[in-house]
Amino acid sequence: MPVQTAWQFHCQCSRYHPGVWSAGHFRELVRRGVVVLAAAADQARHSLLVPRTLESRGALHGYGLCAQIRSVSEDTVQVEEGSLYPALHRMEQDGWISAQWEVTAKGRNAKKYSITALGRKQLEDERETWARLTRGVTCVLRYS
């Protein structure tokens, strides 16, 4: 993948997972052939798993999202709250999710997030992208 195209992909990924790489660091990783798969995994952690979890479980607060993803993945996928909340904010701005303040059972205010119709469409696009990526990786593993 050319650096410019990879960098554009990184910029798209970093929108949902900010602060991962500097431009120089990213170009060095591209030179080594490491980045695209790592960037895709980082992007999927937010743009695929969060909407899918909201689709399947209904409205959840941030901690609930993290816990559900960790539980369903049998502790193999961790979504850190520090990267989750900026991603949730961006998804809300993009119209993928909606948020509503509610009082928890412990009497605390918490924002609960729900997937929107636009988010469901985006989820389908993200699933297709992930399926293409995993098919490609499977081919490389099979025939390398």
Side-chain angles (χ1 to χ4, degrees), residues 1-36:
M1 176 177 273
V3 171
Q4 183 177 9
T5 305
W7 179 249
Q8 290 168 345
F9 181 77
H10 159 69
C11 291
Q12 176 187 355
C13 293
S14 66
R15 180 145 194 239
Y16 293 96
H17 192 67
V20 179
W21 304 290
S22 68
H25 182 103
F26 184 79
R27 286 189 180 97
E28 175 59 22
L29 290 173
V30 168
R31 189 184 66 72
R32 293 185 206 164
V34 176
V35 165
V36 174

Side-chain angles (χ1 to χ4, degrees), residues 102-110:
E102 293 184 4
V103 178
T104 67
K106 295 182 179 181
R108 296 182 184 161
N109 288 327

Side-chain angles (χ1 to χ4, degrees), residues 51-93:
R52 174 59 186 133
T53 301
L54 293 174
E55 180 185 56
S56 67
R57 300 294 298 177
L60 290 170
H61 50 77
Y63 179 80
L65 277 164
C66 292
Q68 181 65 22
I69 291 168
R70 186 174 51 250
S71 172
V72 169
S73 71
E74 298 175 348
D75 292 323
T76 57
V77 178
Q78 301 280 329
V79 177
E80 300 297 327
E81 290 182 66
S83 65
L84 175 67
Y85 290 106
L88 287 170
H89 182 71
R90 286 181 197 91
M91 287 183 216
E92 187 178 5
Q93 285 181 325

